Amino acid sequence: PEGVPTKSDVVLTPAPARSISRVFLPEPTYRAGCLFLERNRVAVSMLQREMQMDFKVATAVLDQLQDVGLIVPYLGGQRRDILMSADEWQEKVGVAE
């Protein structure tokens, strides 16, 4: 039928390469992300112990890391998975001055 594309009329165009939009974080948040990647573990207590953060600051840092996509959301006591490799993290973030 007229006006209906045939197989020879369809042109497939590859999607553009996915680019990661760069995010600039406060230096302690960046360091916390690096620490989690190095230890392959996410824990408020690690931030309290290793970076001398109080609980409220440490949980705010976790929220920031969740917002930029490094870790999964808090699910009531379940382990938080890390969603990026160290290379992806380095490509994604910079430190705000």
Side-chain angles (χ1 to χ4, degrees), residues 3-15:
V4 175
T6 65
K7 284 185 181 181
S8 61
D9 294 333
V10 176
V11 177
L12 299 177
T13 311

Side-chain angles (χ1 to χ4, degrees), residues 25-34 51 53 60-62 64-65 68 70 89:
L25 297 174
E27 197 260 338
T29 304
Y30 169 77
R31 284 187 25 239
C34 292
M51 298 180 70
M53 291 181 180
V61 166
L62 288 180
Q64 291 172 350
L65 293 174
V68 297
L70 179 66
W89 176 245

Side-chain angles (χ1 to χ4, degrees), residues 1 5 7 12 17 21 25 34 37 40 45 60-61 74-75 85-86 90-91 94 96:
K7 284 185 181 181
L12 299 177
S21 59
L25 297 174
C34 292
L37 285 161
N40 198 30
S45 61
V61 166
Y74 178 72
L75 298 172
S85 68
Q90 294 299 324
E91 183 180 341

Side-chain angles (χ1 to χ4, degrees), residues 6-7 9 15 18-19 23-24 26 29-30 47 53 56 58 60-61 63 67 70-71 77 83-84 89-90 95:
T6 65
K7 284 185 181 181
D9 294 333
R18 189 183 84 174
S19 66
V23 175
F24 292 92
T29 304
Y30 169 77
L47 296 180
M53 291 181 180
K56 187 174 182 177
V61 166
D63 290 342
D67 290 345
L70 179 66
I71 61 176
L83 301 173
M84 291 182 198
W89 176 245
Q90 294 299 324
V95 177

Side-chain angles (χ1 to χ4, degrees), residues 38-49:
E38 178 185 305
R39 304 275 175 89
N40 198 30
R41 182 172 160 256
V42 177
V44 171
S45 61
M46 188 186 315
L47 296 180
Q48 292 175 291
R49 187 175 49 257

